[in-house]
Amino acid sequence: MIVMTKDTMQIVREQDVVPFRNRVREYAAKIGMSLVNQTKLITAASELVRNMLKYANGGKVLIEIISKNAQTGVRLTFIDEGPGIANVQQAMQDGFSTGKSLGLGLPGTKRLVNEFDIKSTLGEGTTVTVIHWKNGR
Amino acid sequence: MDRIPILKMGPFLLVTIQVDLYDRLALTLENDLISMVSQTGAKGVLIDISAVTIVDSFMGRILGNIASMSRIMDAETVVVGMQPAVAITLVELGLTLQGVYTALDVEKGMDLLYNKIGIIDVLEEDDQEEEPDDCND
Amino acid sequence: MSTTAQHLQKHRQRIIETWMKNQLTDAALRDDLMSNDELRSQSDELLTALLRAFNSGNFDDVYSSDYDQVIEILNDISITRARQGFSPRETGQYVISLKKAVNEVLEEELKDDPGALYQETRKTDSVLDSLSMITFETFIKGREEVIFRQTDEINEISTPVIRVWDGILALPIIGTLDSARTQIVMENLLQEIVNTGSSIAILDISGVPAVDSLVAQHLIKTVSATRLMGAECIISGIRAEIAQTIVHLGIDLSNIKTKATLASALQLAFSMTNVEVRKINRNAGFKLMK
């Protein structure tokens, strides 16, 4: 896997969400991702960044263009220092929510992207990594 | 503070969302729209999202809320002009906007509302309906 | 400079000649796909890179940077050959015939010293064996790329959206529905709905061999997406055995309008759009006369 470009964005308040989405769109458009795949990636990014604001009061996001096996894609890494998730497995189930949301967040987001990885330590924070390839496969 | 304009058109309210909604703007819209419904006694709400490129679960929830709240006040809500990429993404996310009516464009949305609220007679007198009266059995 | 490289460098011209001869005498050589001159310059380039790599004295690890150039050239050759339609045998022969040529030269050079000959051939053999392995791998990869491209093309052409009536679209699905294909079907269908302003889409699944819960899920997704756009979706072409599996698997399609045939789906679409199609009896007057 080769990282071609790298960019970091701090997310501290709700107003950062729209500029962040635009930044992700820029990168996705740069590698020639189709409109549907762009929309999926940006929606996933939006969900994750909202989670970060809601549960951890923000954090930072690493935006990278990567290349693996002749495929190009966008990798987003969401890093927060929030309370962490007690039961990651449970959080990944459809319909589960600790807040008042619909509980679509994490499992729904996972369905939108090609690769999804979540690591969380109670009291230390959560890191979510998603990858979406140019051709969406 | 930014506000999304709400237009009153006969018995309906029309909202055209032209910008990417950040959370506070969406919440303001929800408030404004609901108080407009109660003030004007509108029978229907048309929300045109043809210029919206991202609908995430938060935005989806706002649309659902507007529909449920309006219904309690005896007004139906139609969301019109959703982009294909947005529709595909919402389905993948698991959000099907239950309880919200949809239409391809404002015109079709208007027809749908007239049908739903059963004031089709008024419409036919105005001779706006496509089929002539003698066609009805 | 390693001794092996020295020996081979000295007889570079002979290796190239023998190698070319080996390749040309191979009955399977496709001179229709590649001219001799082209083959020679390609072979020459590879040999130069290989000798340079031998020169480094590294005979153990072909994945090290010493062999970067060799592997690059080889990959290029096998990918091109895979695309041109060479057989795996022909492509494999390419490196194997080089091995023969190298061995011949070494044998000639070291015929008085069997011990050294053994050592040298063992070293070159191991490198060339690894290289032929890489050639095969890349060849298969090249073929896979061809397959992927064709799959994309099939997906693209196998999902035509037909405008059957003003405001009514039909989409016959042939073959099985996986997630990649569902996405293409959805994209095409939804885009066409926007383009034509159609309010009804008929999804005909007569050509889908089997509906399991995954395929059903894809169908449900397509219907949901169509509804979000503000159009209605009818699924037609449900055969008896498909109905049976759907019920046995406990798949809930009760929210979806389904019809057995495209004709009855079209009829439903007509009644939904308030269209009436009638048969006109042109002979009525004539019969009365009789």
Side-chain angles (χ1 to χ4, degrees):
Chain A
M1 177 134 48
I2 312 158
V3 177
M4 273 135 72
T5 53
K6 215 173 189 165
D7 195 357
T8 325
M9 255 185 106
Q10 295 291 335
I11 307 289
V12 286
R13 47 191 195 138
E14 182 201 286
Q15 278 87 335
D16 296 334
V17 174
V18 173
F20 164 70
R21 292 202 298 222
N22 291 340
R23 187 82 65 92
V24 175
R25 185 193 305 278
E26 250 169 58
Y27 280 94
K30 197 155 88 183
I31 63 166
M33 201 182 266
S34 76
L35 185 64
V36 174
N37 282 320
Q38 275 186 40
T39 311
K40 284 185 175 179
L41 173 68
I42 299 161
T43 310
S46 183
E47 295 291 325
L48 290 170
V49 98
R50 268 185 209 296
N51 273 349
M52 211 160 79
L53 281 168
K54 187 168 162 190
Y55 297 108
N57 287 320
K60 66 171 179 180
V61 189
L62 200 63
I63 310 170
E64 292 162 308
I65 293 179
I66 57 166
S67 169
K68 192 171 103 182
N69 295 336
Q71 282 201 101
T72 350
V74 175
R75 176 165 71 183
L76 303 173
T77 313
F78 299 79
I79 304 157
D80 72 50
E81 289 168 1
I85 300 168
N87 189 341
V88 172
Q89 224 178 348
Q90 194 180 33
M92 290 307 297
Q93 278 167 12
D94 255 323
F96 175 81
S97 173
T98 52
K100 276 187 186 167
S101 68
L102 298 172
L104 291 167
L106 288 177
T109 308
K110 189 178 175 184
R111 282 195 294 269
L112 290 179
V113 291
N114 297 136
E115 288 174 37
F116 184 99
D117 181 58
I118 179 165
K119 286 192 181 64
S120 189
T121 315
L122 264 186
E124 281 175 32
T126 306
T127 302
V128 181
T129 310
V130 299
I131 298 176
H132 206 59
W133 301 110
K134 179 183 159 183
N135 61 6
R137 237 187 259 139
Chain B
M1 198 169 130
D2 294 334
R3 270 208 149 79
I4 309 251
I6 302 170
L7 307 175
K8 187 171 182 308
M9 287 180 70
F12 306 136
L13 298 178
L14 174 63
V15 180
T16 305
I17 303 175
Q18 304 272 17
V19 290
D20 259 342
L21 286 182
Y22 53 87
D23 300 13
R24 199 143 305 155
L25 192 59
L27 289 169
T28 314
L29 175 67
E30 184 187 299
N31 281 332
D32 289 358
L33 206 47
I34 298 308
S35 44
M36 269 290 257
V37 170
S38 93
Q39 272 169 36
T40 60
K43 289 286 167 214
V45 177
L46 275 159
I47 306 175
D48 178 12
I49 59 163
S50 54
V52 174
T53 53
I54 297 292
V55 175
D56 59 7
S57 62
F58 177 81
M59 173 77 178
R61 193 157 65 242
I62 297 277
L63 291 175
N65 285 352
I66 292 176
S68 320
M69 293 170 189
S70 312
R71 185 160 303 140
I72 300 174
M73 292 186 291
D74 194 28
E76 294 293 353
T77 304
V78 182
V79 171
V80 302
M82 187 183 290
Q83 302 221 347
V86 173
I88 293 174
T89 304
L90 277 183
V91 166
E92 211 70 56
L93 191 62
L95 210 66
T96 46
L97 299 186
Q98 297 288 338
V100 181
Y101 292 110
T102 50
L104 281 175
D105 49 42
V106 175
E107 213 179 323
K108 289 200 168 70
M110 206 86 94
D111 286 350
L112 182 69
L113 275 180
Y114 277 121
N115 275 314
K116 288 288 171 220
I117 61 176
I119 51 166
I120 195 150
D121 299 344
V122 185
L123 193 77
E124 275 174 0
E125 277 168 25
D126 291 352
D127 211 13
Q128 280 175 10
E129 188 70 356
E130 275 177 359
E131 48 182 335
D133 282 348
D134 58 353
C135 205
N136 295 340
D137 293 337
Chain C
M1 196 184 227
S2 85
T3 47
T4 325
Q6 268 168 359
H7 289 310
L8 295 175
Q9 191 67 49
K10 201 161 72 188
H11 297 283
R12 188 172 186 287
Q13 204 48 42
R14 247 188 71 204
I15 296 175
I16 247 304
E17 292 308 329
T18 327
W19 186 16
M20 286 304 291
K21 203 180 75 210
N22 286 347
Q23 290 188 65
L24 294 174
T25 50
D26 185 355
L29 183 85
R30 304 283 296 269
D31 44 11
D32 55 325
L33 292 178
M34 188 184 267
S35 75
N36 283 352
D37 289 343
E38 218 179 315
L39 185 63
R40 178 177 279 272
S41 72
Q42 202 178 59
S43 309
D44 204 55
E45 193 191 357
L46 180 66
L47 187 62
T48 313
L50 184 68
L51 289 181
R52 199 176 302 140
F54 277 168
N55 217 353
S56 70
N58 174 1
F59 289 96
D60 304 317
D61 183 13
V62 291
Y63 292 102
S64 74
S65 57
D66 298 326
Y67 285 89
D68 273 357
Q69 204 192 352
V70 178
I71 288 175
E72 200 176 303
I73 297 171
L74 262 185
N75 281 349
D76 210 39
I77 292 172
S78 352
I79 293 253
T80 327
R81 287 188 168 206
R83 284 194 196 128
Q84 283 172 330
F86 277 83
S87 74
R89 185 195 160 82
E90 285 156 355
T91 314
Q93 276 296 343
Y94 183 66
V95 179
I96 290 168
S97 59
L98 169 63
K99 183 166 124 179
K100 265 194 211 150
V102 168
N103 281 351
E104 266 174 50
V105 167
L106 284 175
E107 219 173 292
E108 183 80 23
E109 188 72 6
L110 298 167
K111 59 176 178 255
D112 303 325
D113 188 353
L117 176 61
Y118 173 72
Q119 288 296 334
E120 296 299 300
T121 37
R122 211 176 58 100
K123 284 197 281 190
T124 53
D125 273 6
S126 93
V127 169
L128 285 162
D129 286 347
S130 305
L131 289 179
S132 64
M133 213 80 94
I134 290 172
T135 315
F136 265 114
E137 263 174 23
T138 336
F139 182 82
I140 291 169
K141 224 194 228 162
R143 288 298 264 268
E144 275 172 353
E145 267 171 33
V146 174
I147 295 171
F148 280 142
R149 207 188 57 232
Q150 286 171 343
T151 316
D152 282 348
E153 275 166 18
I154 292 171
N155 280 340
E156 209 56 59
I157 55 174
S158 63
T159 49
V161 183
I162 308 156
R163 192 172 174 186
V164 285
W165 202 268
D166 192 31
I168 303 173
L169 297 177
L171 191 140
I173 301 175
I174 317 272
T176 189
L177 268 181
D178 56 13
S179 54
R181 196 142 172 245
T182 311
Q183 173 144 354
I184 294 169
V185 167
M186 271 203 251
E187 276 182 60
N188 287 350
L189 180 63
L190 300 192
Q191 195 52 55
E192 206 53 30
I193 287 175
V194 173
N195 293 349
T196 59
S198 300
S199 52
I200 293 179
I202 302 171
L203 229 55
D204 188 80
I205 59 166
S206 318
V208 177
V211 175
D212 54 15
S213 44
L214 207 64
V215 172
Q217 211 179 17
H218 291 317
L219 286 173
I220 293 170
K221 271 186 194 169
T222 311
V223 174
S224 309
T226 317
R227 281 189 185 152
L228 280 176
M229 301 269 307
E232 192 47 72
C233 205
I234 305 169
I235 295 182
S236 73
I238 301 191
R239 299 190 304 270
E241 64 267 31
I242 287 185
Q244 280 174 324
T245 33
I246 285 175
V247 172
H248 284 156
L249 289 171
I251 300 163
D252 182 20
L253 292 184
S254 57
N255 286 325
I256 297 174
K257 293 188 175 70
T258 50
K259 288 283 168 194
T261 62
L262 182 61
S264 44
L266 194 57
Q267 213 153 32
L268 174 62
F270 282 152
S271 75
M272 284 162 72
T273 47
N274 301 326
V275 171
E276 198 183 17
V277 178
R278 272 182 308 174
K279 197 177 260 175
I280 297 173
N281 196 346
R282 291 189 197 283
N283 293 333
F286 179 67
K287 273 178 190 158
L288 273 175
M289 298 260 290
K290 254 189 151 181

